[in-house]
Amino acid sequence: MFDINQIRKDTPASQQLIHFNNAGASLNPSVVIQKVKDYLDLEAQIGGYEVERLHQNDIKAFYTEMARLIHAEPHNIAFATSCTDAYARALSSMPFKSGDVILTSDDDYASNQLCFLSLQNRVGVRVVRAKNFDNGDMDVADVERIIKTEHPSVVAITHIPTSSGKMQPVAEIGQLCRQYDVWYLVDACQSIGQMPIDVQSIGCDFLTATGRKFLRAPRGTGFLFVSDKALEAGFSPLYFDNHSGNWTGKDSYTMQASALRFELYERSLATVLGITEAVRYACAIGLDNIWAYNQDLAQYFRQELQNTEGVTLYDEGSQLCNIITFRMGHKPLEVIQSALNAARINHSVTMKKMAQIDFDRKGIDWALRFSPHYYNTKEEVDKVIEVLRAI
Ligand SMILES: Cc1ncc(COP(=O)(O)O)c(C=O)c1O
């Protein structure tokens, strides 16, 4: 059930400040924090390995809850410490050779672009980016054209870029990947927890996400989804440990049959329990409810910004989400930020190095980024607008 009063009670800091930086890291529900604290306390009292043995079922629940959230099976899930950690593991499982093509978009996340460029330098892969239409939407026909002419080894698409509110057509691209039998890697870092995510309808082989953003999990958490097809094809990371694999003899080893082969043994189990609790919390509210509230709130926010003198919105595309980027005429960034900080309004600024292609085209070197979530309210939006209009 969606009960905003209860949700805000579960988020104590929402009484003290206005947090519009959920695309950075959101405020955790109290139940999530409590789980982590209790587990850490127990580790201090009886020892790390000993608590782990006691909490086997709670640890296993991570895989079942995460699978439920994204419509997968528990054996398709691996824990990761961040989205980039999951992404690097997925990429490292692909046997790239010189001349192979990675097909991506202009809006894929900066760190992913860095990984592609590193592969370009080290292995000689080619990075090919599909075109956008003038309105910012990705040109899916161009994706198909490139698949047909360049035969990419993998299509790698970020669902929601960090630097603008657009949503990329991941399910349509997934259909093409299935039609042409191409491996498909999706970065769902900004969409997980913000809206329903269904790996079956996206049709991806790998999907990566972080916990700390719209899922409201502790920092240092994330996960990787690996499809049955990719597991059966034998994909496994280049570097791993004796949790992912088994040293069976002097010169031999086996890998885990499940996505656990992408996971390392050492991780903070307190945070594993924390992210599991965050998934339960989101599912109890309902991802459809969360998304409906979020869309309404973001639409209100954009409309109020549009009615504010000097504001230029930079979100493009026909499908927008809860990342809102804008600038205010020639007002210096420091002036805007100090007014927001004085009113305890958490926000962020995206710099050009996070969006080289996008910001180059838009002719900007930074943008303010507000990312409302379902525990925020229209009254909080009104407060932001009041502060901005007073600058
Ligand atoms: C779209 C997208 N992908 C990946 C990441 C990286 O996430 P992490 O810092 O958990 O590796 C971010 C972080 O902002 C992001 O916005």
Side-chain angles (χ1 to χ4, degrees):
M1 272 300 293
F2 198 95
D3 175 351
I4 187 69
N5 293 325
Q6 185 57 48
I7 289 167
R8 287 178 69 78
K9 256 192 227 150
D10 296 342
T11 313
S14 66
Q15 315 304 319
Q16 270 94 56
L17 49 81
I18 298 179
H19 190 75
F20 279 129
N21 191 13
N22 296 292
S26 63
L27 300 174
N28 310 121
S30 338
V31 281
V32 170
I33 300 296
Q34 202 53 51
K35 270 279 168 193
V36 176
K37 283 183 175 166
D38 289 349
Y39 192 92
L40 288 176
D41 282 346
L42 211 53
E43 279 189 342
Q45 282 159 25
I46 68 169
Y49 281 29
E50 289 68 20
V51 191
E52 181 176 352
R53 272 201 295 277
L54 282 182
H55 277 271
Q56 280 303 306
N57 287 339
D58 287 335
I59 295 162
K60 278 196 194 126
F62 164 73
Y63 305 92
T64 44
E65 295 295 344
M66 195 55 87
R68 181 161 74 105
L69 179 70
I70 62 166
H71 305 272
E73 296 294 330
H75 69 262
N76 299 118
I77 307 292
F79 178 84
T81 55
S82 70
C83 188
T84 309
D85 176 31
Y87 206 85
R89 278 168 209 287
L91 276 182
S92 90
S93 73
M94 297 175 194
F96 291 112
K97 51 186 190 332
S98 178
D100 283 353
V101 167
I102 297 176
L103 169 51
T104 188
S105 75
D106 282 353
D107 295 288
D108 267 56
Y109 186 61
S111 306
N112 305 349
Q113 304 271 6
L114 289 172
C115 290
F116 306 150
L117 294 175
S118 166
L119 277 165
Q120 181 172 287
N121 286 346
R122 189 172 282 199
V123 184
V125 303
R126 281 192 304 124
V127 183
V128 179
R129 298 184 181 89
K131 280 197 305 237
N132 285 342
F133 291 115
D134 288 345
N135 77 343
D137 282 345
M138 229 184 131
D139 182 347
V140 178
D142 197 44
V143 174
E144 182 167 17
R145 182 191 63 76
I146 297 169
I147 290 178
K148 278 161 63 176
T149 53
E150 302 276 2
H151 308 291
S153 309
V154 62
V155 175
I157 301 294
T158 294
H159 188 191
I160 295 176
T162 207
S163 57
S164 80
K166 81 159 76 166
M167 291 166 64
Q168 310 231 67
V170 283
E172 277 177 73
I173 294 169
Q175 272 177 9
L176 289 177
C177 291
R178 273 178 288 188
Q179 184 183 337
Y180 293 98
D181 200 18
V182 187
W183 297 108
Y184 187 28
L185 165 60
V186 171
D187 172 342
C189 193
Q190 294 290 5
S191 41
I192 199 81
Q194 185 184 160
M195 63 189 65
I197 291 293
D198 180 343
V199 289
Q200 309 304 333
S201 58
I202 295 175
C204 51
D205 297 293
F206 299 91
L207 180 132
T208 61
T210 213
R212 72 180 182 279
K213 299 182 187 288
F214 289 91
L215 195 53
R216 309 185 62 195
R219 295 199 64 173
T221 60
F223 73 92
L224 170 67
F225 158 84
V226 189
S227 70
D228 285 343
K229 191 175 155 205
L231 287 173
E232 281 156 24
F235 280 84
S236 59
L238 180 57
Y239 301 113
F240 51 91
D241 71 2
N242 47 22
H243 170 84
S244 350
N246 252 322
W247 195 23
T248 51
K250 184 168 147 281
D251 291 316
S252 61
Y253 66 90
T254 56
M255 297 300 294
Q256 295 262 18
S258 72
L260 287 184
R261 72 176 82 143
F262 285 86
E263 190 179 275
L264 294 180
Y265 168 71
E266 180 52 6
R267 62 229 128 109
S268 161
L269 293 169
T271 67
V272 175
L273 266 58
I275 188 173
T276 309
E277 204 54 33
V279 172
R280 287 194 185 109
Y281 187 85
C283 290
I285 295 169
L287 271 299
D288 286 325
N289 294 333
I290 290 174
W291 184 218
Y293 185 95
N294 276 346
Q295 283 178 293
D296 182 54
L297 190 60
Q299 196 192 357
Y300 179 73
F301 211 145
R302 285 199 178 90
Q303 172 199 306
E304 291 304 300
L305 284 169
Q306 251 149 5
N307 293 334
T308 301
E309 212 188 301
V311 166
T312 307
L313 278 164
Y314 283 99
D315 305 326
E316 292 178 337
S318 52
Q319 274 195 300
L320 296 180
C321 70
N322 280 41
I323 293 183
I324 301 173
T325 53
F326 64 96
R327 286 172 64 126
M328 289 189 67
H330 296 296
K331 295 262 157 58
L333 183 55
E334 310 77 65
V335 174
I336 303 170
Q337 287 207 282
S338 76
L340 291 167
N341 292 340
R344 298 202 75 187
I345 296 169
N346 292 352
H347 60 283
S348 72
V349 178
T350 301
M351 304 306 290
K352 190 174 169 204
K353 72 172 202 154
M354 304 302 283
Q356 288 290 358
I357 305 172
D358 186 33
F359 279 14
D360 220 20
R361 201 178 45 76
K362 289 172 176 165
I364 53 176
D365 50 5
W366 59 266
L368 284 156
R369 184 180 74 172
F370 279 68
S371 43
H373 203 11
Y374 64 90
Y375 57 82
N376 294 124
T377 61
K378 287 184 180 167
E379 290 71 34
E380 290 181 323
V381 173
D382 292 342
K383 179 71 193 167
V384 171
I385 299 294
E386 187 190 309
V387 170
L388 293 178
R389 286 181 187 163
I391 294 172

